[in-house]
Amino acid sequence: MAVGPTTRRRQLGADLRRLRERKGLTLEEAGALVGVSKATLSRYETKEGTVKWPAVDALCREYGASDQERETLVELAKGAKIQGWWRSLADPIPDSMNLMLTLEDEVVREDHYACMYVPGLLQTRAYAEAVHRASEMRCTDQEISHMVDIRMKRQELLDREEPPHIWAVIDEAVIRRMVGGRKVMRDQLSLLLARAEEPQVTVQILPFAAGAHAAAVGSFVILGGPTPELDVVYVDIIGGGLFMEKPQELERYKLAFEYLRAQALDIGASAALLDRVCKEL
């Protein structure tokens, strides 16, 4: 999978911090060596905003990086400009969704735990519209249509030549919750079954019989980057979303997802349950 601009920017930040810590320098000490402020260097390392490649080149030299490391990081700095298909949309999108689209455009895998609705990447248009109408009570029809268009556009990443792997653990409540009526639900479960047969999609159902489980707090997504330090957790909250990337936060959610996979039905039993619920509609 091609490495996108945001992934390059995040990789650059992680590598600059690694090199500085290897040299045993504080942010203030390292910044003084190349004439940048502590705040600027901190921003470089926290993967936010633009970077100047000459500063990256100078930092690498002060850190004792090899020529190959320095050249790689300078190229990352030159290529770290955020662009994406959603930037050309006529209507604005929320900041949290902008970041989600940016990260998702460059993932190699996504691990979903869904306890309320089918994950957006696996939704039908009618189901997505029903979800948005329920959760965005004050939005106009045009605004809802805009958000659904974005969700449908997101799904194109599943049809790429090298798509990310989507692993979805879906609570049984999700497939039994009547969203949009019987026909909408029947079509949604049929799509879920069809998607689950594709090599890049794995679907497991967490049955009611599993009882208490590791993610009683709610739905989340682990967005997997090309390397583990680029992973990000996304958690739905009212009015937007929360992104987390601290190691202890990532570890907590990754462990929860492993437990959820273990507690869920296997792939065959999950498909059988989906098919049974679909036929009951």
Side-chain angles (χ1 to χ4, degrees):
M1 175 172 291
V3 177
T6 304
T7 295
R8 289 196 293 269
R9 177 65 184 89
R10 298 178 71 236
Q11 183 71 65
L12 174 62
D15 285 347
L16 284 174
R17 180 173 183 175
R18 175 180 56 81
L19 288 172
R20 177 179 60 79
E21 291 178 342
R22 187 177 73 183
K23 188 70 173 178
L25 296 170
T26 65
L27 284 167
E28 194 167 12
E29 290 168 342
L33 290 172
V34 296
V36 300
S37 68
K38 175 183 176 181
T40 297
L41 186 51
S42 176
R43 179 173 55 78
Y44 280 17
E45 292 186 7
T46 51
K47 313 155 194 173
E48 298 174 358
T50 58
V51 293
K52 296 180 179 180
W53 72 260
V56 171
D57 183 85
L59 284 167
C60 287
R61 294 178 189 278
E62 293 294 345
Y63 293 159
S66 68
D67 288 343
Q68 183 176 357
E69 285 177 318
R70 179 172 55 80
E71 290 168 7
T72 298
L73 265 61
V74 167
E75 286 305 309
L76 286 174
K78 290 179 178 178
K81 294 181 179 179
I82 300 173
Q83 294 177 331
W85 56 263
W86 55 94
R87 293 283 174 169
S88 62
L89 294 174
D91 297 319
I93 59 176
D95 287 342
S96 62
M97 179 54 67
N98 181 66
L99 180 55
M100 180 66 169
L101 294 171
T102 302
L103 294 171
E104 191 170 65
D105 200 43
E106 302 167 7
V107 296
V108 297
R109 73 177 197 287
E110 289 189 22
D111 296 334
H112 291 252
Y113 168 63
C115 66
M116 183 63 69
Y117 299 122
V118 171
L121 290 176
L122 305 175
Q123 292 179 2
T124 66
R125 185 177 188 91
Y127 183 95
E129 183 174 329
V131 168
H132 277 298
R133 286 193 181 282
S135 58
E136 307 291 344
M137 293 80 72
R138 297 185 177 180
C139 286
T140 65
D141 288 346
Q142 182 180 353
E143 289 169 331
I144 289 173
S145 179
H146 174 57
M147 289 185 285
V148 173
D149 285 345
I150 292 173
R151 181 157 296 185
M152 295 299 102
K153 182 70 175 178
R154 281 174 57 201
Q155 295 182 4
E156 292 181 8
L157 67 84
L158 295 175
D159 301 317
R160 291 176 177 174
E161 187 174 336
E162 295 183 51
H165 188 270
I166 309 301
W167 195 306
V169 175
I170 301 174
D171 195 282
E172 185 175 346
V174 172
I175 65 174
R176 294 192 180 277
R177 178 172 290 109
M178 193 67 66
V179 175
R182 289 184 177 275
K183 184 181 185 308
V184 170
M185 279 305 299
R186 188 164 54 245
D187 291 346
Q188 176 59 73
L189 296 185
S190 294
L191 176 65
L192 203 51
L193 278 164
R195 282 296 195 186
E197 293 180 356
E198 298 173 2
Q200 76 273 25
V201 178
T202 301
V203 174
Q204 288 183 274
I205 304 300
L206 183 66
F208 291 142
H213 55 75
V217 293
S219 302
F220 63 87
V221 186
I222 302 171
L223 299 157
T227 57
E229 67 266 22
L230 298 180
D231 291 352
V232 179
V233 172
Y234 174 82
V235 179
D236 272 321
I237 58 174
I238 294 176
L242 180 65
F243 293 88
M244 295 177 283
E245 57 180 346
K246 292 181 180 178
Q248 60 269 33
E249 295 169 338
L250 287 168
E251 185 59 32
R252 180 182 178 187
Y253 279 92
K254 287 178 179 180
L255 183 61
F257 192 74
E258 288 302 312
Y259 275 108
L260 288 165
R261 290 200 304 188
Q263 289 177 284
L265 298 174
D266 64 28
I267 294 169
S270 294
L273 178 56
L274 273 171
D275 185 58
R276 186 164 69 251
V277 174
C278 187
K279 287 176 179 177
E280 290 172 359
L281 292 169

